[in-house]
Amino acid sequence: MSNVVHNRPVVKPDTRQRVLEAIAKLDYHPSRVAQGLRQQASRAIGFLVLDPNPRWPADPLHAEVLAGMSETATKHDYSLLLDRPPGNGHLTARELLQPFRSGQIDAAIVALAGTSDSHQHALDALNQAGVLFAVLEREIEGECAYSVMGANEDGAYAATQKLLRDGRRQIAFLDSTQMWPAIELRLNGYRRAMREAGLEANILISPSPDWTSAGGAVAMHGLLERCERKGLPYPDAVLAGNDVLAVGAMHVLRERGLHVPGDVAVIGFDDFEFARYVDPPLTTVRLPAYEMGKRAAELLIAHLEGRPTSQRRHILPTELIVRQSG
Amino acid sequence: MSNVVHNRPVVKPDTRQRVLEAIAKLDYHPSRVAQGLRQQASRAIGFLVLDPNPRWPADPLHAEVLAGMSETATKHDYSLLLDRPPGNGHLTARELLQPFRSGQIDAAIVALAGTSDSHQHALDALNQAGVLFAVLEREIEGECAYSVMGANEDGAYAATQKLLRDGRRQIAFLDSTQMWPAIELRLNGYRRAMREAGLEANILISPSPDWTSAGGAVAMHGLLERCERKGLPYPDAVLAGNDVLAVGAMHVLRERGLHVPGDVAVIGFDDFEFARYVDPPLTTVRLPAYEMGKRAAELLIAHLEGRPTSQRRHILPTELIVRQSG
DNA sequence: TTGAAAGCGTTACCAT
DNA sequence: ATGGTAACGCTTTCAA
């Protein structure tokens, strides 16, 4: 019976035929739950989002990653389980491991919020438990740990250099009080480019309260006000932590009568769908989010099927997409 | 033991104490899989997306719905399983029911693509199997079927009326060859308003090949070309099937040197995050997508816990948000 | 090649 | 109030 369902060649053709008929007649459906219990494997991978913001799927980047994961999981007949931390977002190791221990998932893709060290204990716990996982946008080491990243630092470096080449000198960076590992890397790239250009003194960072466009507007607002208060000149360029922030920032600039890119150049990050449709079309650093989701899922599934990939650190290239905003 | 874990009051305090200690010492974790097998209930709800486009999570509306579902599921300690049709998107009843029959989910939220009748057989199959589900944006009847909708027709009607009140007469609608139940309703609202204004002859519909902004640009392009070919005047207003399309359409209008809203008013649908940040800020019909996801999940979970809601048809109100594009 | 039986980790039931 | 046992539906192993 089991041998028939799984197409194993140890059954005589006519026996197989009989069994198949019975299956059809009884409208039999194998229970994946029972299979899971017996085989100690659920054929499901989890998406563990360590972000207290319940609206995280609405972030275009997360959505793209999710789409890539889902596509790949389906292709390999794996299920995808969405898992969020209950409540406040501060996880104990126990909570994190729960879906593994309870047999719900065989592996997980982990998306972090917060600074890169804030969830170190969580990753340590995963490692110590010996479970299989892939972390997005974050270096990680461990027996069964993969990491899938975009070239965030390179991208931010290239974007800053482009602005410098265009003669911009007062280049500001928009980040957020809600930290996020990729942003640290982007900041690093920005800082390095400024330092190498001898403009360390011009480094200027303004935080958004969150990762929405409304937050981006707040950050831009704060930036301009700070300049006014201190009698500093306005920045002549802004590198935004991501496109969503950039959109809000451009809105504020327009409201203030500042021309983009004439007065202030703006470059975003991610190249989300709407980047080319805002006015002016947004120059940005493309991050291959969909591909990252795919890659992470592929690595985990290959590992689960006995084909672990020796390369644990996967960095997908970013690309500067020059449009008209900067 | 089971009684202790589930806090049943049939155990003596000191026995409970002893068991709890053992649990801690052995680092015991209940297996949800075994629980599922034993109780014939997985404590998971599925999101069945009958859309062949693998990038569906990147659609802002879907993402918001997903966020609402995820939030609610987590709150009630339910898992959320993402389920896509394998491959082409044309589902057999068998494939649709698979996650139910295999015990992976106790209920599902179903998002349809295609015309409202194209998946009728799928919904019939769900009904006939007696499984619990909620359909988004689509009327449904059945023993265990809920439907959660936005007031699509009302919204489109109100938007069209607003344009008429502003003196617009040549109002076009942007839909898509990739149909979608909600769009049929929006079209109905548009048609009804035009008919009631005696402008049935002016009804003009241009399709996008998909639901991206690029598609919206194609639809707008096609619309203008059709007018030119037939020697018709350009439309003085456009009601887009959703905001994503509207963004692409506005882009084309600007490229052609047409002023929004001076020459052509544009109204979108959904009120996604970026609607207020495009230029000019997009007038649109707000659809409470997050709330719809929440509601659907709540209805299912309440039903599963023995508290079925008598009202099966839930229509959440839409609201016309007037900004500057129309 | 086939059929029977054990066991995966729970919970529900039934003796104690 | 407690401990033992069967059963959930499958796969694997072992004997026939």
Side-chain angles (χ1 to χ4, degrees):
Chain A
M1 156 70 194
S2 179
N3 292 324
V4 172
V5 174
H6 295 284
N7 272 316
R8 279 189 269 260
V10 291
V11 279
K12 272 205 295 209
D14 64 324
T15 314
R16 160 174 315 250
Q17 191 55 37
R18 272 194 309 128
V19 174
L20 251 27
E21 273 167 26
I23 285 178
K25 184 150 56 189
L26 299 175
D27 194 27
Y28 166 83
H29 290 258
S31 156
R32 273 182 98 134
V33 176
Q35 289 176 329
L37 181 59
R38 177 63 235 236
Q39 309 189 137
Q40 301 293 71
S42 59
R43 259 195 116 73
I45 70 181
F47 190 24
L48 256 51
V49 183
L50 276 48
D51 187 336
N53 175 12
R55 275 186 137 93
W56 66 261
D59 183 279
L61 182 63
H62 280 133
E64 287 280 346
V65 170
L66 185 60
M69 293 175 48
S70 164
E71 161 93 343
T72 304
T74 301
K75 199 169 71 188
H76 294 270
D77 191 32
Y78 271 75
S79 299
L80 186 57
L81 201 71
L82 240 55
D83 243 297
R84 306 199 329 94
N88 52 33
H90 216 83
L91 284 190
T92 64
R94 200 185 183 76
E95 285 167 342
L96 239 190
L97 287 170
Q98 206 263 333
F100 289 97
R101 314 296 298 265
S102 73
Q104 289 190 112
I105 58 177
D106 298 335
I109 295 173
V110 182
L112 272 4
T115 57
S116 64
D117 47 283
S118 75
H119 282 298
Q120 187 59 52
H121 75 283
L123 299 176
D124 287 345
L126 289 175
N127 257 326
Q128 206 154 7
V131 300
L132 176 63
F133 65 103
V135 184
L136 298 173
E137 298 293 32
R138 169 86 151 69
E139 303 265 353
I140 178 73
E141 43 199 84
E143 189 65 24
C144 296
Y146 293 89
S147 91
V148 176
M149 300 177 285
N152 287 291
E153 177 164 345
D154 287 356
Y157 181 79
T160 311
Q161 280 211 317
K162 148 82 161 96
L163 292 169
L164 291 166
R165 242 182 288 120
D166 292 346
R168 313 284 176 170
R169 287 295 171 269
Q170 307 286 337
I171 306 175
F173 189 96
L174 265 37
D175 73 346
S176 168
T177 54
Q178 301 278 306
M179 254 308 170
W180 184 49
I183 294 303
E184 297 182 30
L185 300 170
R186 296 175 190 180
L187 253 171
N188 287 347
Y190 158 75
R191 281 208 166 94
R192 180 157 61 88
M194 292 295 275
R195 213 179 313 117
E196 289 179 10
L199 293 172
E200 191 151 14
N202 290 9
I203 286 178
L204 189 58
I205 298 169
S206 181
S208 157
D210 52 38
W211 288 102
T212 65
S213 291
V218 170
M220 191 70 226
H221 221 80
L223 180 61
L224 297 178
E225 285 208 336
R226 191 167 5 145
C227 290
E228 285 167 10
R229 237 184 9 250
K230 297 193 181 174
L232 294 169
Y234 279 167
D236 55 10
V238 170
L239 180 56
N242 73 4
D243 289 345
V244 178
L245 252 44
V247 164
M250 291 217 296
H251 192 74
V252 167
L253 290 170
R254 184 175 319 117
E255 275 182 348
R256 297 268 194 134
L258 292 164
H259 184 261
V260 178
D263 299 316
V264 184
V266 175
I267 296 188
F269 215 109
D270 288 350
D271 193 27
F272 75 155
E273 180 180 0
F274 307 106
R276 75 179 63 211
Y277 296 107
V278 295
D279 182 42
L282 186 64
T283 293
T284 189
V285 179
R286 184 181 123 75
L287 188 78
Y290 186 81
E291 287 77 11
M292 287 170 59
K294 260 177 84 159
R295 176 72 65 88
E298 279 163 3
L299 288 168
L300 294 179
I301 290 172
H303 193 115
L304 285 170
E305 313 214 311
R307 299 175 277 102
T309 309
S310 60
Q311 189 188 334
R312 294 312 174 89
R313 217 160 122 276
H314 294 250
I315 303 188
L316 277 60
T318 50
E319 183 192 358
L320 183 64
I321 309 282
V322 179
R323 298 202 180 92
Q324 290 156 41
S325 70
Chain B
M1 157 69 195
S2 178
N3 293 323
V4 172
V5 174
H6 294 283
N7 273 314
R8 280 191 267 259
V10 291
V11 279
K12 271 204 294 209
D14 64 323
T15 315
R16 162 175 313 253
Q17 192 55 38
R18 273 192 310 127
V19 175
L20 250 28
E21 273 167 25
I23 285 177
K25 184 149 58 192
L26 299 175
D27 193 26
Y28 166 83
H29 289 260
S31 157
R32 273 182 99 131
V33 176
Q35 289 176 330
L37 180 60
R38 178 64 236 230
Q39 309 190 141
Q40 303 292 70
S42 58
R43 260 196 113 73
I45 69 180
F47 191 24
L48 256 52
V49 183
L50 275 48
D51 186 335
N53 175 12
R55 275 186 136 95
W56 66 262
D59 183 278
L61 182 64
H62 280 132
E64 287 280 347
V65 170
L66 185 60
M69 293 175 46
S70 164
E71 161 92 343
T72 304
T74 302
K75 198 169 73 188
H76 294 271
D77 192 32
Y78 271 75
S79 299
L80 185 58
L81 202 70
L82 239 56
D83 244 296
R84 304 200 330 95
N88 53 33
H90 214 81
L91 284 190
T92 63
R94 202 187 182 75
E95 285 166 344
L96 239 192
L97 286 170
Q98 205 264 331
F100 289 96
R101 313 296 298 263
S102 73
Q104 289 189 111
I105 58 177
D106 299 334
I109 295 174
V110 182
L112 270 4
T115 57
S116 65
D117 47 283
S118 76
H119 282 298
Q120 186 60 51
H121 74 283
L123 299 176
D124 287 345
L126 288 175
N127 258 325
Q128 205 155 9
V131 299
L132 176 63
F133 65 103
V135 184
L136 298 174
E137 299 292 33
R138 169 86 151 67
E139 303 265 353
I140 179 72
E141 44 199 85
E143 190 65 24
C144 297
Y146 293 88
S147 92
V148 176
M149 300 178 284
N152 287 291
E153 178 165 345
D154 287 356
Y157 182 78
T160 311
Q161 280 211 317
K162 148 76 159 107
L163 291 168
L164 291 167
R165 241 182 288 120
D166 292 346
R168 312 283 175 171
R169 287 296 173 267
Q170 306 287 334
I171 306 175
F173 189 96
L174 264 37
D175 74 344
S176 167
T177 54
Q178 302 277 309
M179 254 307 168
W180 185 48
I183 293 303
E184 296 183 31
L185 300 170
R186 296 176 190 178
L187 254 170
N188 288 347
Y190 157 75
R191 282 210 166 92
R192 181 157 60 89
M194 292 295 276
R195 214 181 310 121
E196 288 180 10
L199 293 171
E200 192 151 14
N202 290 7
I203 286 178
L204 189 59
I205 298 169
S206 181
S208 157
D210 52 38
W211 288 103
T212 65
S213 290
V218 170
M220 191 69 226
H221 221 80
L223 181 60
L224 298 178
E225 285 208 335
R226 188 162 13 140
C227 290
E228 285 168 9
R229 238 186 7 250
K230 298 196 179 175
L232 294 170
Y234 279 168
D236 56 10
V238 170
L239 180 57
N242 73 4
D243 288 345
V244 178
L245 253 43
V247 164
M250 291 216 297
H251 192 73
V252 168
L253 290 171
R254 186 175 317 115
E255 275 182 349
R256 297 270 194 132
L258 292 164
H259 184 261
V260 177
D263 299 315
V264 184
V266 175
I267 296 189
F269 215 107
D270 290 349
D271 193 26
F272 76 156
E273 179 181 1
F274 307 107
R276 75 179 64 210
Y277 296 106
V278 296
D279 181 44
L282 187 64
T283 294
T284 189
V285 179
R286 184 181 123 76
L287 188 78
Y290 185 81
E291 288 76 11
M292 288 170 57
K294 260 178 85 160
R295 176 72 66 87
E298 279 163 2
L299 288 168
L300 294 179
I301 291 172
H303 193 115
L304 285 170
E305 313 212 312
R307 300 176 277 102
T309 308
S310 59
Q311 189 189 335
R312 293 314 174 86
R313 217 160 122 276
H314 294 249
I315 303 187
L316 278 60
T318 49
E319 183 190 357
L320 182 64
I321 310 282
V322 179
R323 299 203 179 93
Q324 290 155 41
S325 70

